[in-house]
Amino acid sequence: MKRIALLALAAAVTATTAQAQANGKAKSKTPQTTKPNSNKMNNTEKVVALLKSIETGDAAPVAYINPTHYTQHNLGAADGLTGFGALLQALPKGSAKVNTVRAFQDGDYVVAHTDYNFFGPKIGFDIFRFEDGQIVEHWDNLQQTPTQPNPSGHSMIDGPAEIKDLDKTNENKNLVHQFVDDILVNGRMEKLQGYYKGDHYIQHNPQIGDGLSSLGAALDAMAKRGITMKYDKIHLVLGCGNFVLTASEGTFGGKPTVFYDLFRVENGKIAEHWDTIEAVPAKSEWKNQNGKF
């Protein structure tokens, strides 16, 4: 049944694209599928519904994507709405599962933090950009779900999800941006302790335990094994209240890599961290030419 639903969703995507092309050469950006009542949904709710439709096969959320103007940064999918449909058709029968645990909006952008089974178990961050109530651009970063919790017993997805301190959004975004620039990009380790409240720090990276002491031990262990992790550039900083996501590029073990880091800020200090790390495939393997950013 799930395979039938998924094929129906993929068919709806294809039909939406074909209809839009036939129209206009379309004078309108409005998709031609049956539209859900999007006026009653905010952009965050639209994203959660769209992601869930990958599991359920519900075709209605396809209408949230602009059928003639959709830029894809997942390098495993072709550009545009047709690429999204082809990706859905390739999913193994009955395999798709989607549980979005955190989602928030920052201006025209929506961030989602999701537990997937998408060509295998994965944890992912998705970023969607909206124009006039429709999705026009998508970025993501996926990492295989580990089979064991990290040294402190945490998964890559568990922990608080409630958004608080909306009045501190800009302050928290500035704090996290400065942290990533100071510590991860420029290696100003003498500033590290100033971003934390002592050793109180909850870590969801699958290889590292809680606290700054565990972080230091993990970095030392990597260095002894000759593994380097380098952040070169911060591309996006998106936040809402106590949650801030950064999307950065760099290298891990000498290979081009994309880093997505989600931070929970509490009383002006970094209190918790989730991340995904994804290697950039060789350009010959890209199914679109938009790049990861």
Side-chain angles (χ1 to χ4, degrees):
M1 290 298 294
K2 280 189 176 180
R3 180 61 173 171
I4 294 171
L6 195 57
L7 288 173
L9 175 57
V13 172
T14 302
T16 300
T17 306
Q19 184 65 57
Q21 290 171 345
N23 283 350
K25 294 177 183 174
K27 297 178 181 179
S28 170
K29 294 182 181 179
T30 305
Q32 301 303 311
T33 51
T34 301
K35 292 186 69 174
N37 191 348
S38 60
N39 291 333
K40 294 184 178 180
M41 299 181 72
N42 62 38
N43 289 347
T44 301
E45 292 167 332
K46 291 176 186 178
V47 162
V48 173
L50 178 65
L51 292 176
K52 192 65 176 178
S53 74
I54 296 171
E55 175 182 332
T56 65
D58 180 9
V62 173
Y64 303 142
I65 302 175
N66 187 310
T68 60
H69 177 40
Y70 178 58
T71 303
Q72 175 66 264
H73 295 275
N74 180 317
L75 300 178
D79 206 14
L81 195 52
T82 53
F84 177 57
L87 194 65
L88 294 178
Q89 287 181 316
L91 279 166
K93 181 179 179 180
S95 66
K97 295 190 182 300
V98 178
N99 178 32
T100 299
V101 176
R102 296 172 188 84
F104 62 81
Q105 182 171 346
D106 184 351
D108 293 330
Y109 296 87
V110 171
V111 172
H113 190 196
T114 300
D115 185 1
Y116 282 110
N117 193 321
F118 190 74
F119 299 101
K122 294 179 175 66
I123 303 299
F125 289 104
D126 291 89
I127 301 172
F128 296 86
R129 184 172 67 84
F130 282 76
E131 287 181 1
D132 300 323
Q134 287 189 304
I135 296 167
V136 296
E137 196 163 9
H138 169 253
W139 302 259
D140 65 4
N141 214 51
L142 302 167
Q143 182 173 332
Q144 184 175 344
T145 306
T147 57
Q148 301 286 336
N150 77 2
S152 294
H154 305 303
S155 77
M156 289 182 68
I157 199 81
D158 64 355
E162 182 183 359
I163 296 173
K164 302 178 179 179
D165 303 327
L166 290 175
D167 59 322
K168 296 181 179 178
T169 295
N170 288 335
E171 176 184 334
N172 290 340
K173 286 174 66 176
N174 289 337
L175 172 77
V176 166
H177 185 276
Q178 192 62 52
F179 166 79
V180 175
D181 183 69
D182 272 343
I183 306 304
L184 300 177
V185 175
N186 291 298
R188 299 175 182 130
M189 301 305 290
E190 70 279 4
K191 295 187 175 184
L192 181 64
Q193 289 190 341
Y195 289 102
Y196 297 91
K197 183 181 178 182
D199 204 33
H200 301 287
Y201 171 52
I202 301 171
Q203 175 65 264
H204 293 270
N205 181 291
Q207 306 300 324
I208 306 173
D210 291 346
L212 287 185
S213 52
S214 294
L215 176 60
L219 293 176
D220 285 344
M222 285 173 53
K224 288 176 181 176
R225 291 164 56 196
I227 300 173
T228 58
M229 182 173 68
K230 187 176 186 301
Y231 284 53
D232 293 324
K233 184 177 181 180
I234 305 166
H235 284 269
L236 288 169
V237 181
L238 301 170
C240 184
N242 53 331
F243 286 98
V244 180
L245 178 82
T246 61
S248 311
E249 68 173 311
T251 56
F252 186 74
K255 297 179 180 179
T257 301
V258 173
F259 304 94
Y260 277 39
D261 294 273
L262 179 67
F263 300 88
R264 182 174 64 82
V265 180
E266 187 176 284
N267 298 323
K269 301 290 184 180
I270 293 172
E272 197 158 1
H273 170 253
W274 301 258
D275 66 345
T276 59
I277 300 173
E278 184 176 4
V280 180
K283 200 163 186 178
S284 60
E285 300 175 17
W286 294 10
K287 292 188 178 180
N288 67 67
Q289 298 304 309
N290 301 317
K292 286 287 283 182
F293 294 101

PDB file of all heavy atoms in Angstrom, residues 46-58:
ATOM      1  N   LYS A  46       3.631  23.824   6.417  1.00  0.00           N
ATOM      2  CA  LYS A  46       3.693  23.321   5.032  1.00  0.00           C
ATOM      3  C   LYS A  46       4.890  22.386   4.853  1.00  0.00           C
ATOM      4  O   LYS A  46       4.785  21.335   4.203  1.00  0.00           O
ATOM      5  CB  LYS A  46       3.785  24.497   4.058  1.00  0.00           C
ATOM      6  CG  LYS A  46       2.537  25.343   3.971  1.00  0.00           C
ATOM      7  CD  LYS A  46       2.764  26.536   3.044  1.00  0.00           C
ATOM      8  CE  LYS A  46       1.588  27.480   3.044  1.00  0.00           C
ATOM      9  NZ  LYS A  46       1.815  28.665   2.192  1.00  0.00           N
ATOM     10  N   VAL A  47       6.033  22.766   5.402  1.00  0.00           N
ATOM     11  CA  VAL A  47       7.232  21.937   5.281  1.00  0.00           C
ATOM     12  C   VAL A  47       7.027  20.596   5.980  1.00  0.00           C
ATOM     13  O   VAL A  47       7.358  19.534   5.420  1.00  0.00           O
ATOM     14  CB  VAL A  47       8.455  22.675   5.853  1.00  0.00           C
ATOM     15  CG1 VAL A  47       9.604  21.707   6.143  1.00  0.00           C
ATOM     16  CG2 VAL A  47       8.916  23.755   4.889  1.00  0.00           C
ATOM     17  N   VAL A  48       6.490  20.620   7.189  1.00  0.00           N
ATOM     18  CA  VAL A  48       6.260  19.365   7.922  1.00  0.00           C
ATOM     19  C   VAL A  48       5.315  18.462   7.139  1.00  0.00           C
ATOM     20  O   VAL A  48       5.539  17.245   7.020  1.00  0.00           O
ATOM     21  CB  VAL A  48       5.729  19.656   9.335  1.00  0.00           C
ATOM     22  CG1 VAL A  48       5.317  18.360  10.035  1.00  0.00           C
ATOM     23  CG2 VAL A  48       6.787  20.386  10.170  1.00  0.00           C
ATOM     24  N   ALA A  49       4.264  19.036   6.557  1.00  0.00           N
ATOM     25  CA  ALA A  49       3.311  18.251   5.767  1.00  0.00           C
ATOM     26  C   ALA A  49       3.969  17.686   4.507  1.00  0.00           C
ATOM     27  O   ALA A  49       3.729  16.530   4.137  1.00  0.00           O
ATOM     28  CB  ALA A  49       2.104  19.112   5.407  1.00  0.00           C
ATOM     29  N   LEU A  50       4.781  18.495   3.843  1.00  0.00           N
ATOM     30  CA  LEU A  50       5.451  18.029   2.630  1.00  0.00           C
ATOM     31  C   LEU A  50       6.394  16.871   2.940  1.00  0.00           C
ATOM     32  O   LEU A  50       6.406  15.856   2.225  1.00  0.00           O
ATOM     33  CB  LEU A  50       6.223  19.175   1.980  1.00  0.00           C
ATOM     34  CG  LEU A  50       7.011  18.802   0.722  1.00  0.00           C
ATOM     35  CD1 LEU A  50       6.079  18.370  -0.401  1.00  0.00           C
ATOM     36  CD2 LEU A  50       7.897  19.959   0.280  1.00  0.00           C
ATOM     37  N   LEU A  51       7.185  17.002   3.988  1.00  0.00           N
ATOM     38  CA  LEU A  51       8.100  15.930   4.349  1.00  0.00           C
ATOM     39  C   LEU A  51       7.343  14.658   4.721  1.00  0.00           C
ATOM     40  O   LEU A  51       7.718  13.550   4.310  1.00  0.00           O
ATOM     41  CB  LEU A  51       9.008  16.374   5.497  1.00  0.00           C
ATOM     42  CG  LEU A  51      10.013  17.475   5.172  1.00  0.00           C
ATOM     43  CD1 LEU A  51      10.773  17.892   6.426  1.00  0.00           C
ATOM     44  CD2 LEU A  51      10.988  17.050   4.082  1.00  0.00           C
ATOM     45  N   LYS A  52       6.260  14.800   5.476  1.00  0.00           N
ATOM     46  CA  LYS A  52       5.482  13.627   5.872  1.00  0.00           C
ATOM     47  C   LYS A  52       4.863  12.937   4.665  1.00  0.00           C
ATOM     48  O   LYS A  52       4.687  11.706   4.661  1.00  0.00           O
ATOM     49  CB  LYS A  52       4.382  14.034   6.862  1.00  0.00           C
ATOM     50  CG  LYS A  52       3.720  12.845   7.551  1.00  0.00           C
ATOM     51  CD  LYS A  52       4.715  12.103   8.432  1.00  0.00           C
ATOM     52  CE  LYS A  52       4.068  10.966   9.202  1.00  0.00           C
ATOM     53  NZ  LYS A  52       5.074  10.210  10.019  1.00  0.00           N
ATOM     54  N   SER A  53       4.574  13.700   3.612  1.00  0.00           N
ATOM     55  CA  SER A  53       3.963  13.107   2.420  1.00  0.00           C
ATOM     56  C   SER A  53       4.897  12.114   1.736  1.00  0.00           C
ATOM     57  O   SER A  53       4.442  11.243   0.984  1.00  0.00           O
ATOM     58  CB  SER A  53       3.546  14.201   1.436  1.00  0.00           C
ATOM     59  OG  SER A  53       4.668  14.771   0.768  1.00  0.00           O
ATOM     60  N   ILE A  54       6.194  12.209   1.969  1.00  0.00           N
ATOM     61  CA  ILE A  54       7.140  11.229   1.428  1.00  0.00           C
ATOM     62  C   ILE A  54       6.815   9.844   1.981  1.00  0.00           C
ATOM     63  O   ILE A  54       6.938   8.837   1.287  1.00  0.00           O
ATOM     64  CB  ILE A  54       8.585  11.631   1.764  1.00  0.00           C
ATOM     65  CG1 ILE A  54       8.944  12.962   1.092  1.00  0.00           C
ATOM     66  CG2 ILE A  54       9.578  10.552   1.359  1.00  0.00           C
ATOM     67  CD1 ILE A  54      10.279  13.537   1.538  1.00  0.00           C
ATOM     68  N   GLU A  55       6.362   9.804   3.235  1.00  0.00           N
ATOM     69  CA  GLU A  55       5.970   8.538   3.868  1.00  0.00           C
ATOM     70  C   GLU A  55       4.548   8.132   3.490  1.00  0.00           C
ATOM     71  O   GLU A  55       4.289   6.968   3.164  1.00  0.00           O
ATOM     72  CB  GLU A  55       6.081   8.660   5.384  1.00  0.00           C
ATOM     73  CG  GLU A  55       5.590   7.442   6.144  1.00  0.00           C
ATOM     74  CD  GLU A  55       5.661   7.612   7.655  1.00  0.00           C
ATOM     75  OE1 GLU A  55       6.523   8.379   8.136  1.00  0.00           O
ATOM     76  OE2 GLU A  55       4.850   6.980   8.355  1.00  0.00           O
ATOM     77  N   THR A  56       3.617   9.084   3.525  1.00  0.00           N
ATOM     78  CA  THR A  56       2.200   8.742   3.383  1.00  0.00           C
ATOM     79  C   THR A  56       1.727   8.676   1.933  1.00  0.00           C
ATOM     80  O   THR A  56       0.712   8.047   1.641  1.00  0.00           O
ATOM     81  CB  THR A  56       1.328   9.763   4.119  1.00  0.00           C
ATOM     82  OG1 THR A  56       1.469  11.054   3.481  1.00  0.00           O
ATOM     83  CG2 THR A  56       1.717   9.866   5.590  1.00  0.00           C
ATOM     84  N   GLY A  57       2.435   9.376   1.027  1.00  0.00           N
ATOM     85  CA  GLY A  57       1.980   9.453  -0.344  1.00  0.00           C
ATOM     86  C   GLY A  57       0.914  10.497  -0.593  1.00  0.00           C
ATOM     87  O   GLY A  57       0.377  10.581  -1.702  1.00  0.00           O
ATOM     88  N   ASP A  58       0.596  11.309   0.398  1.00  0.00           N
ATOM     89  CA  ASP A  58      -0.404  12.368   0.232  1.00  0.00           C
ATOM     90  C   ASP A  58       0.071  13.348  -0.841  1.00  0.00           C
ATOM     91  O   ASP A  58       1.135  13.956  -0.718  1.00  0.00           O
ATOM     92  CB  ASP A  58      -0.611  13.078   1.570  1.00  0.00           C
ATOM     93  CG  ASP A  58      -1.638  14.197   1.513  1.00  0.00           C
ATOM     94  OD1 ASP A  58      -2.328  14.329   0.473  1.00  0.00           O
ATOM     95  OD2 ASP A  58      -1.754  14.938   2.509  1.00  0.00           O
TER      96      ASP A  58
END
